Amino acid sequence: MPKDMDVAKRVKVIEWLKTEVMDYTARLFKSLWEGSTTKVMDSLASLIVSSYILGRRVGISYEDLDNSILDKLHQFKKEGHQLEDWYQDISKLEEHLRKR
């Protein structure tokens, strides 16, 4: 495959993944409005998968993204994020990710 076709294909895939992220975000909002736990879970899972793959397509490894997420959780805790103060959501998610 010629180099310029490969670049074009990569750009097209990235653009497609961006639309997937937007589509799953819209589906998530609609699912939340409908109150369907199954649809919410499916939308969240699809959004997370698409986000990971988009990251990989732009040069971010899954491991680096995982580490960045853990760093962000640590930052949130350090800054006193309200969800940490109210429900300990940040700590619980951090613990879950570290156990994997």
Side-chain angles (χ1 to χ4, degrees):
M1 177 181 296
K3 182 114 174 124
D4 58 340
M5 287 183 69
D6 185 49
V7 170
K9 182 178 178 181
R10 290 179 63 197
V11 169
K12 187 175 182 177
V13 167
I14 290 168
E15 291 302 313
W16 176 74
L17 285 165
K18 287 166 44 179
T19 64
E20 288 288 297
V21 167
M22 295 302 296
D23 181 48
Y24 291 128
T25 301
R27 289 179 190 204
L28 171 62
F29 292 167
K30 186 175 182 181
S31 299
L32 289 166
W33 175 257
E34 293 172 354
S36 169
T37 303
T38 302
K39 288 182 181 180
V40 168
M41 194 171 359
D42 182 65
S43 298
L44 283 170
S46 298
L47 182 57
I48 291 166
V49 168
S50 294
S51 296
Y52 266 82
I53 294 172
L54 176 59
R56 182 169 185 262
R57 292 287 95 218
V58 299
I60 300 167
S61 72
Y62 297 146
E63 183 180 359
D64 286 345
L65 185 54
D66 283 344
N67 290 333
S68 183
I69 290 168
L70 288 169
D71 290 345
K72 182 59 70 175
L73 292 170
H74 180 74
Q75 177 186 346
F76 284 164
K77 282 177 27 181
K78 185 177 176 182
E79 293 172 353
H81 195 285
Q82 283 182 321
L83 291 175
E84 179 63 19
D85 293 342
W86 294 346
Y87 305 106
Q88 294 74 49
D89 284 347
I90 307 299
S91 294
K92 289 176 184 174
L93 178 55
E94 182 181 35
E95 180 182 338
H96 168 75
L97 292 175
R98 289 195 188 282
K99 285 182 178 180
R100 294 191 310 169

